[in-house]
Amino acid sequence: MSTPVPSALLIEGLGLQIGGATILKDVDLDVAPGSIVGVIGPNGAGKTTLFNVISGVARPTAGRIVMDGVDITRASIAQRARAGLGRTFQTSSLFPRLSVLENVRLAAQVGRGGNFSLLRFPRRTDAATELAFDQLVKVGLTHKLDTAAGDISHGDKRKLEIAVLSATEAKIVLLDEPMAGVASGDVAGLVDTIREMQELTGCTVLMVEHHIDVLMGFVQKVAVMYSGSIIAFDSPARIMENPVVQSAYLGRGLEPAGESAA
């Protein structure tokens, strides 16, 4: 008899109360290894808060979080990162004074347990630098290797964040509005980059995204949040037909222009 494969991410009864306010309530989610899951919901539904709790930015007041069979509910942010959890934010979390290459090389270096002291004096032939360069090829930023991250466009920063995550070789990747600020002509390329990252590394991806028409085209499952809870978790086709989901969007159905992460 074969041993069951543990969920990549298992969330049970997750809750968060701040003062007298309930921010998250009874959140349950079971994410299969290697899947791409979209997280959607109206403004204020709790999507980014859920990511904050999963990544350790906020501590839950109820429930548990299990990653690859290991309970990480009380783990620190650093411990979760070492366990293979990576995340992007709605606002850039890059090192603005470091170059594009240095940002990705640092991620590769840390992911491999490297020495921080070597960051400012990279050897162009070492493994971390080669990995960083490969990731920048994939996102199309090799022409800006030596440009400070703070000086590139918002869309390029999103691409750079994907390269940084890829370089860490994270097992679970949380993407918080990766398409925000990206020019419409670059969205398809960024989607391809995310898909390629997942296929090459086998990582599990959870993505909050307000471009619902884009998201529905390439995720396997969609979790719909409303008032701090997950009200549906199913395939994109079934989510689009779900009357409860449509009601959560003020009776207008799933309209791409009407959704924004919160």
Side-chain angles (χ1 to χ4, degrees), residues 3-198:
T3 303
V5 178
S7 305
L9 184 67
L10 178 64
I11 296 172
E12 295 181 324
L14 200 67
L16 175 64
Q17 287 190 324
I18 300 178
T22 298
I23 313 301
L24 297 177
K25 181 180 180 181
D26 297 329
V27 174
D28 293 320
L29 190 63
D30 190 345
V31 181
S35 60
I36 302 179
V37 173
V39 181
I40 66 173
N43 287 334
K47 304 180 293 298
T48 292
T49 301
L50 176 61
F51 273 23
N52 286 343
V53 174
I54 295 172
S55 59
V57 175
R59 290 295 180 94
T61 51
R64 67 176 190 145
I65 305 167
V66 179
M67 177 178 163
D68 287 336
V70 178
D71 192 320
I72 63 167
T73 311
R74 301 301 168 191
S76 68
I77 294 174
Q79 288 170 331
R80 294 175 202 224
R82 285 194 292 269
L85 181 65
R87 179 188 178 178
T88 66
F89 291 80
Q90 288 183 5
T91 56
S92 176
S93 56
L94 301 168
F95 294 100
R97 295 186 179 180
L98 296 185
S99 72
V100 166
L101 178 61
E102 287 171 333
N103 267 273
V104 185
R105 187 183 187 282
L106 174 60
Q109 200 170 326
V110 172
R112 292 166 176 246
N115 188 337
F116 276 92
S117 65
L118 298 177
L119 171 64
R120 300 300 299 180
F121 307 99
R123 298 187 304 275
R124 292 278 176 166
T125 57
D126 71 4
T129 302
E130 290 178 355
L131 175 59
F133 184 81
D134 288 344
Q135 302 310 318
L136 289 168
V137 169
K138 293 173 184 176
V139 298
L141 288 178
T142 53
H143 61 298
K144 296 187 177 180
L145 293 180
D146 298 319
T147 304
D151 293 336
I152 62 177
S153 69
H154 185 75
D156 282 347
K157 286 176 182 176
R158 289 301 191 189
K159 295 177 184 178
L160 180 54
E161 288 170 346
I162 297 296
V164 166
L165 274 182
S166 297
T168 66
E169 300 177 325
K171 298 177 184 177
I172 297 179
V173 172
L174 308 179
L175 303 178
D176 199 348
E177 290 199 68
M179 312 298 174
V182 177
S184 58
D186 293 333
V187 168
L190 190 54
V191 168
D192 289 341
T193 297
I194 295 170
R195 183 184 288 112
E196 182 179 6
M197 174 185 69
Q198 191 284 320

